[in-house]
Amino acid sequence: GAGVSQTPSNKVTEKGKYVELRCDPISGHTALYWYRQSLGQGPEFLIYFQGTGAADDSGLPNDRFFAVRPEGSVSTLKIQRTERGDSAVYLCASSPGTSQSTDTQYFGPGTRLTVL
Amino acid sequence: AQSVTQLGSHVSVSEGALVLLRCNYSSSVPPYLFWYVQYPNQGLQLLLKYTTGATLVKGINGFEAEFKKSETSFHLTKPSAHMSDAAEYFCAVTAATGGFKTIFGAGTRLFVKA
């Protein structure tokens, strides 16, 4: 079956602009995660959804970052007033939602965001 | 709070040689431990995970890891490296008490020489 997909694969924007990054999880997966991966680093947790609700958003760096999952499937990560430091690969993962701690997470290919 | 340390950002081995990638964790509660692999131009995929039970865990592609609580380690090994094993490997930890976050290490890039 289809895996996790993310669009766009690459996004170049100018400092101060607004961007939206989309994630389509594996069908039937109730849990969805967003991570940010900077060069030379491992993925850094941003937010976790169980269904439509954000169960843990403690990784969002500041109030310029926001994510939604209105119907419990597709999720959008929104970044306002982008800064150069936001440049990174943004990863999305989904899991069945059986156990938050032990579920295998299935990752998408990521969106590479470049802020000029 | 949990944390993960991967010793060595780069490891180089010859084809056929033992692969050993080191991971140490810090956790105030019993951890669940994972190894993920990222091949060039691909997304991360699970190699293996430790949740409960047997401390020696076998994964895909001949990899295995052993959870050693006394050493707070979860090192990844493979007896004989293949060229196709060249990739970046990430160790990760989650909490066993309902925590939602997965904490990843910085990664170790494995190079395999012919």
Side-chain angles (χ1 to χ4, degrees):
Chain A
V4 177
S5 62
Q6 293 185 246
T7 54
S9 55
N10 281 283
K11 176 69 176 179
V12 180
T13 191
E14 295 179 341
K15 181 175 178 295
K17 299 290 187 182
Y18 168 84
V19 297
E20 289 190 352
L21 311 180
R22 176 187 168 107
C23 173
D24 279 90
I26 292 172
S27 177
H29 280 189
T30 61
L32 186 145
Y33 311 76
W34 282 100
Y35 294 88
R36 179 169 67 176
Q37 187 174 18
S38 301
L39 195 62
Q41 299 297 318
E44 174 192 8
F45 171 83
L46 296 178
I47 187 169
Y48 161 77
F49 287 90
Q50 179 59 42
T52 60
D56 185 347
D57 65 356
S58 62
L60 296 177
N62 52 58
D63 61 6
R64 294 187 298 105
F65 288 75
F66 190 71
V68 296
R69 195 185 186 200
E71 297 178 357
S73 178
V74 171
S75 177
T76 305
L77 179 66
K78 308 180 181 194
I79 310 174
Q80 299 177 320
R81 305 183 303 281
T82 52
E83 299 177 357
R84 292 193 180 87
D86 298 335
S87 296
V89 176
Y90 289 81
L91 300 173
C92 176
S94 70
S95 71
T98 309
S99 166
Q100 296 96 331
S101 299
T102 61
D103 272 356
T104 296
Q105 294 179 38
Y106 296 85
F107 283 82
T111 293
R112 182 176 299 278
L113 176 65
T114 303
V115 182
L116 302 177
Chain B
Q2 292 83 39
S3 66
V4 176
T5 302
Q6 292 186 239
L7 299 176
S9 58
H10 296 83
V11 170
S12 183
V13 300
S14 297
E15 194 173 21
L18 172 72
V19 176
L20 171 61
L21 304 182
R22 300 179 186 273
C23 172
N24 288 87
Y25 69 90
S26 171
S27 178
S28 56
V29 297
Y32 297 132
L33 297 158
F34 305 78
W35 276 98
Y36 283 85
V37 61
Q38 188 170 31
Y39 296 104
N41 301 316
Q42 294 186 30
L44 280 83
Q45 58 182 280
L46 182 73
L47 265 181
L48 50 80
K49 63 181 175 182
Y50 168 77
T51 54
T52 59
T55 56
L56 180 63
V57 180
K58 295 186 184 299
I60 61 171
N61 301 336
F63 284 93
E64 62 182 37
E66 186 171 10
F67 169 54
K68 292 188 176 180
K69 184 178 178 181
S70 62
E71 299 177 8
T72 62
S73 70
F74 191 57
H75 302 331
L76 182 70
T77 61
K78 180 174 180 177
S80 176
H82 294 158
M83 297 297 288
S84 60
D85 294 328
E88 186 136 28
Y89 293 80
F90 294 93
C91 182
V93 61
T94 62
T97 55
F100 301 126
K101 290 183 184 179
T102 300
I103 306 299
F104 284 82
T108 297
R109 183 165 295 278
L110 176 66
F111 297 92
V112 182
K113 300 174 291 186

